[in-house]
Amino acid sequence: GAVVSQHPSWVICKSGTSVKIECRSLDFQATTMFWYRQFPKQSLMLMATSNEGSKATYEQGVEKDKFLINHASLTLSTLTVTSAHPEDSSFYICSARPIAGGYNEQFFGPGTRLTVL
Amino acid sequence: GQQVMQIPQYQHVQEGEDFTTYCNSSTTLSNIQWYKQRPGGHPVFLIQLVKSGEVKKQKRLTFQFGEAKKNSSLHITATQTTDVGTYFCAGNSGNTPLVFGKGTRLSVIA
Protein backbone atom coordinates (compact mmCIF):
# COMPACT_ATOMS: atom_id res chain seq x y z
CA GLY A 1 0.00 0.00 0.00
CA ALA A 2 0.82 3.73 0.11
CA VAL A 3 1.90 4.10 -3.50
CA VAL A 4 2.55 7.47 -5.09
CA SER A 5 2.96 7.85 -8.83
CA GLN A 6 4.39 10.66 -10.87
CA HIS A 7 3.95 11.44 -14.51
CA PRO A 8 5.94 11.86 -16.61
CA SER A 9 9.00 10.08 -15.28
CA TRP A 10 11.21 12.21 -17.48
CA VAL A 11 10.75 15.10 -19.86
CA ILE A 12 12.96 17.07 -22.19
CA CYS A 13 11.72 20.45 -23.34
CA LYS A 14 12.90 23.58 -25.04
CA SER A 15 13.67 26.72 -23.11
CA GLY A 16 10.59 28.88 -22.68
CA THR A 17 8.02 26.10 -22.69
CA SER A 18 5.90 25.00 -19.74
CA VAL A 19 5.91 21.53 -18.27
CA LYS A 20 3.25 19.95 -16.06
CA ILE A 21 4.10 17.18 -13.62
CA GLU A 22 1.39 15.10 -11.97
CA CYS A 23 1.59 13.48 -8.55
CA ARG A 24 -1.04 10.92 -7.58
CA SER A 25 -1.62 8.91 -4.43
CA LEU A 26 -2.93 5.63 -5.79
CA ASP A 27 -4.32 3.84 -2.78
CA PHE A 28 -4.81 6.51 -0.15
CA GLN A 29 -6.07 10.05 0.22
CA ALA A 30 -3.77 12.92 1.02
CA THR A 31 -4.79 16.40 2.05
CA THR A 32 -1.15 17.41 1.97
CA MET A 33 1.41 16.78 -0.72
CA PHE A 34 4.91 18.15 -0.92
CA TRP A 35 7.07 19.07 -3.88
CA TYR A 36 10.83 18.71 -3.66
CA ARG A 37 13.65 19.45 -6.02
CA GLN A 38 16.88 17.51 -5.99
CA PHE A 39 19.97 18.56 -7.91
CA PRO A 40 22.58 15.92 -8.72
CA LYS A 41 24.28 14.51 -5.65
CA GLN A 42 22.42 16.88 -3.37
CA SER A 43 19.69 16.56 -0.81
CA LEU A 44 16.00 17.11 -1.31
CA MET A 45 14.98 20.74 -1.05
CA LEU A 46 11.36 21.43 -0.23
CA MET A 47 9.80 23.76 -2.77
CA ALA A 48 6.23 23.96 -1.58
CA THR A 49 3.50 22.35 0.45
CA SER A 50 0.36 21.62 -1.48
CA ASN A 51 -2.93 21.55 0.41
CA GLU A 52 -6.10 20.18 -1.14
CA GLY A 53 -8.57 22.92 -1.87
CA SER A 54 -6.33 25.80 -0.88
CA LYS A 55 -3.29 27.70 -2.07
CA ALA A 56 0.11 26.12 -1.83
CA THR A 57 2.66 27.33 0.68
CA TYR A 58 5.98 28.10 -0.98
CA GLU A 59 9.38 27.97 0.66
CA GLN A 60 11.56 31.04 0.71
CA GLY A 61 13.24 31.67 -2.61
CA VAL A 62 10.78 29.61 -4.66
CA GLU A 63 8.85 31.71 -7.19
CA LYS A 64 5.17 30.88 -6.95
CA ASP A 65 4.46 32.36 -10.37
CA LYS A 66 7.06 30.13 -11.95
CA PHE A 67 6.16 26.93 -10.15
CA LEU A 68 2.39 26.69 -10.22
CA ILE A 69 0.87 24.12 -7.90
CA ASN A 70 -2.69 22.86 -8.03
CA HIS A 71 -4.11 20.33 -5.57
CA ALA A 72 -7.58 19.82 -6.91
CA SER A 73 -8.43 16.52 -5.26
CA LEU A 74 -7.36 14.31 -2.38
CA THR A 75 -5.32 12.15 -4.73
CA LEU A 76 -3.82 14.56 -7.25
CA SER A 77 -1.43 17.48 -7.14
CA THR A 78 0.22 19.07 -10.16
CA LEU A 79 3.33 21.17 -10.52
CA THR A 80 3.70 23.32 -13.62
CA VAL A 81 7.09 24.76 -14.40
CA THR A 82 6.30 27.81 -16.49
CA SER A 83 8.69 29.25 -19.05
CA ALA A 84 11.30 26.67 -18.16
CA HIS A 85 14.98 27.51 -18.48
CA PRO A 86 18.07 25.29 -18.36
CA GLU A 87 18.66 26.16 -14.70
CA ASP A 88 15.29 24.55 -13.92
CA SER A 89 16.66 21.20 -15.04
CA SER A 90 16.43 18.97 -11.99
CA PHE A 91 14.82 15.93 -10.41
CA TYR A 92 11.38 16.87 -9.09
CA ILE A 93 9.92 14.58 -6.45
CA CYS A 94 6.54 14.74 -4.79
CA SER A 95 5.45 13.12 -1.58
CA ALA A 96 2.06 12.61 0.01
CA ARG A 97 1.01 12.46 3.62
CA PRO A 98 -1.93 10.10 4.21
CA ILE A 99 -4.98 11.47 5.96
CA ALA A 100 -5.05 8.35 8.10
CA GLY A 101 -1.95 6.58 9.29
CA GLY A 102 1.36 7.35 10.91
CA TYR A 103 1.98 10.81 12.22
CA ASN A 104 3.96 12.82 9.65
CA GLU A 105 4.69 9.79 7.50
CA GLN A 106 5.31 10.72 3.87
CA PHE A 107 5.42 8.51 0.81
CA PHE A 108 7.45 9.60 -2.16
CA GLY A 109 6.76 9.35 -5.84
CA PRO A 110 9.40 8.01 -8.23
CA GLY A 111 10.37 11.50 -9.36
CA THR A 112 10.37 13.36 -12.66
CA ARG A 113 13.63 14.23 -14.31
CA LEU A 114 13.30 17.51 -16.19
CA THR A 115 15.87 18.55 -18.75
CA VAL A 116 15.49 21.98 -20.33
CA LEU A 117 17.52 22.55 -23.47
CA GLY B 1 14.84 28.06 10.60
CA GLN B 2 15.28 24.47 11.48
CA GLN B 3 18.44 22.84 10.17
CA VAL B 4 19.34 19.19 10.00
CA MET B 5 22.99 18.29 9.66
CA GLN B 6 24.19 14.87 8.65
CA ILE B 7 27.66 13.35 8.68
CA PRO B 8 29.65 11.93 7.09
CA GLN B 9 28.88 13.08 3.57
CA TYR B 10 30.49 9.98 2.06
CA GLN B 11 31.52 6.62 3.43
CA HIS B 12 33.36 3.85 1.65
CA VAL B 13 33.47 0.49 3.38
CA GLN B 14 34.56 -3.04 2.64
CA GLU B 15 31.74 -5.51 2.45
CA GLY B 16 31.19 -6.91 5.91
CA GLU B 17 32.28 -3.77 7.74
CA ASP B 18 29.89 -1.72 9.81
CA PHE B 19 28.59 1.73 8.85
CA THR B 20 27.10 4.58 10.85
CA THR B 21 25.60 7.90 9.81
CA TYR B 22 24.73 10.66 12.26
CA CYS B 23 22.08 13.32 12.16
CA ASN B 24 21.83 16.46 14.29
CA SER B 25 19.08 19.03 14.44
CA SER B 26 19.33 22.65 15.51
CA THR B 27 15.97 22.29 17.25
CA THR B 28 14.10 19.65 19.19
CA LEU B 29 12.24 17.33 16.85
CA SER B 30 8.82 15.77 17.13
CA ASN B 31 9.99 12.84 15.09
CA ILE B 32 12.81 11.80 12.85
CA GLN B 33 12.58 9.68 9.75
CA TRP B 34 15.16 7.84 7.74
CA TYR B 35 15.09 7.29 3.99
CA LYS B 36 17.26 5.38 1.55
CA GLN B 37 17.77 6.48 -2.01
CA ARG B 38 19.43 4.15 -4.47
CA PRO B 39 21.39 5.70 -7.36
CA GLY B 40 18.88 6.94 -9.92
CA GLY B 41 15.94 6.19 -7.64
CA HIS B 42 13.68 8.05 -5.28
CA PRO B 43 13.77 8.15 -1.46
CA VAL B 44 12.20 5.15 0.20
CA PHE B 45 10.91 5.43 3.73
CA LEU B 46 12.78 3.21 6.19
CA ILE B 47 11.55 4.13 9.64
CA GLN B 48 10.18 6.79 11.93
CA LEU B 49 11.27 7.45 15.52
CA VAL B 50 9.16 9.55 17.85
CA LYS B 51 10.16 8.77 21.43
CA SER B 52 13.11 10.13 23.34
CA GLY B 53 15.87 7.51 23.50
CA GLU B 54 14.02 5.20 21.12
CA VAL B 55 15.91 2.38 19.44
CA LYS B 56 14.48 0.37 16.57
CA LYS B 57 15.97 -2.46 14.57
CA GLN B 58 15.31 -3.71 11.08
CA LYS B 59 17.47 -6.77 10.47
CA ARG B 60 21.01 -5.36 10.20
CA LEU B 61 19.89 -1.74 10.60
CA THR B 62 19.69 -0.07 14.02
CA PHE B 63 18.11 3.35 14.42
CA GLN B 64 18.45 5.53 17.49
CA PHE B 65 16.78 8.75 18.57
CA GLY B 66 18.62 10.79 21.17
CA GLU B 67 17.34 11.53 24.63
CA ALA B 68 17.03 15.23 23.81
CA LYS B 69 15.30 14.41 20.48
CA LYS B 70 17.86 16.49 18.60
CA ASN B 71 20.05 13.76 17.19
CA SER B 72 19.74 10.36 15.61
CA SER B 73 21.89 7.66 14.11
CA LEU B 74 21.60 4.80 11.68
CA HIS B 75 23.97 1.87 12.09
CA ILE B 76 24.33 -0.94 9.58
CA THR B 77 26.04 -4.11 10.76
CA ALA B 78 28.09 -6.15 8.30
CA THR B 79 27.32 -4.13 5.19
CA GLN B 80 26.39 -5.80 1.94
CA THR B 81 26.54 -4.50 -1.62
CA THR B 82 22.77 -4.14 -1.53
CA ASP B 83 23.18 -1.45 1.13
CA VAL B 84 24.69 0.94 -1.43
CA GLY B 85 22.86 4.24 -1.67
CA THR B 86 22.35 7.55 0.04
CA TYR B 87 20.79 7.58 3.47
CA PHE B 88 18.85 10.67 4.47
CA CYS B 89 17.51 11.66 7.82
CA ALA B 90 14.58 14.04 7.93
CA GLY B 91 12.87 15.64 10.87
CA ASN B 92 10.27 18.15 11.83
CA SER B 93 8.63 19.80 14.79
CA GLY B 94 4.89 19.56 15.13
CA ASN B 95 3.20 19.59 11.75
CA THR B 96 5.89 21.50 9.87
CA PRO B 97 7.30 20.03 6.65
CA LEU B 98 10.14 17.58 6.90
CA VAL B 99 13.62 19.06 6.70
CA PHE B 100 16.14 16.71 5.12
CA GLY B 101 19.77 16.30 5.97
CA LYS B 102 22.28 16.36 3.11
CA GLY B 103 22.55 12.61 3.19
CA THR B 104 25.38 10.12 3.55
CA ARG B 105 26.40 8.30 0.43
CA LEU B 106 27.47 4.77 1.18
CA SER B 107 29.54 2.72 -1.19
CA VAL B 108 30.39 -0.87 -0.42
CA ILE B 109 33.43 -2.53 -1.94
CA ALA B 110 33.01 -6.24 -2.49
Side-chain angles (χ1 to χ4, degrees), chain B residues 50-79:
Chain B
V50 297
K51 298 178 183 176
S52 170
E54 189 170 13
V55 178
K56 286 189 177 180
K57 291 190 175 184
Q58 288 180 352
K59 296 183 181 178
R60 294 177 295 104
L61 277 60
T62 303
F63 304 85
Q64 289 187 316
F65 200 10
E67 294 289 341
K69 299 183 75 173
K70 296 180 73 172
N71 58 76
S72 181
S73 65
L74 158 59
H75 179 83
I76 302 179
T77 304
T79 55

Side-chain angles (χ1 to χ4, degrees), chain B residues 7-78:
Chain B
I7 58 170
Q9 190 174 0
Y10 303 97
Q11 186 79 59
H12 308 280
V13 300
Q14 285 286 137
E15 189 173 22
E17 291 182 340
D18 293 354
F19 158 77
T20 306
T21 173
Y22 302 89
C23 189
N24 286 284
S25 169
S26 58
T27 60
T28 302
L29 301 170
S30 300
N31 77 104
I32 195 153
Q33 301 176 21
W34 285 91
Y35 293 80
K36 177 183 179 181
Q37 185 175 22
R38 293 181 182 274
H42 64 281
V44 174
F45 175 81
L46 295 177
I47 208 159
Q48 175 176 262
L49 305 170
V50 297
K51 298 178 183 176
S52 170
E54 189 170 13
V55 178
K56 286 189 177 180
K57 291 190 175 184
Q58 288 180 352
K59 296 183 181 178
R60 294 177 295 104
L61 277 60
T62 303
F63 304 85
Q64 289 187 316
F65 200 10
E67 294 289 341
K69 299 183 75 173
K70 296 180 73 172
N71 58 76
S72 181
S73 65
L74 158 59
H75 179 83
I76 302 179
T77 304

Side-chain angles (χ1 to χ4, degrees), chain B residues 93-110:
Chain B
S93 300
N95 210 29
T96 58
L98 282 174
V99 175
F100 280 77
K102 290 184 181 286
T104 297
R105 183 174 303 167
L106 172 65
S107 60
V108 179
I109 306 164

Side-chain angles (χ1 to χ4, degrees), chain A residues 42-53:
Chain A
Q42 293 190 22
S43 187
L44 284 78
M45 297 301 296
L46 180 66
M47 298 175 66
T49 301
S50 170
N51 299 297
E52 188 266 337

Side-chain angles (χ1 to χ4, degrees), chain A residues 76-112:
Chain A
L76 173 65
S77 176
T78 61
L79 167 68
T80 301
V81 183
T82 61
S83 187
H85 291 285
E87 57 265 29
D88 298 323
S89 298
S90 187
F91 192 47
Y92 291 87
I93 308 175
C94 72
S95 70
R97 178 185 290 167
I99 293 176
Y103 179 64
N104 284 326
E105 196 169 3
Q106 292 182 28
F107 297 92
F108 284 81
T112 297

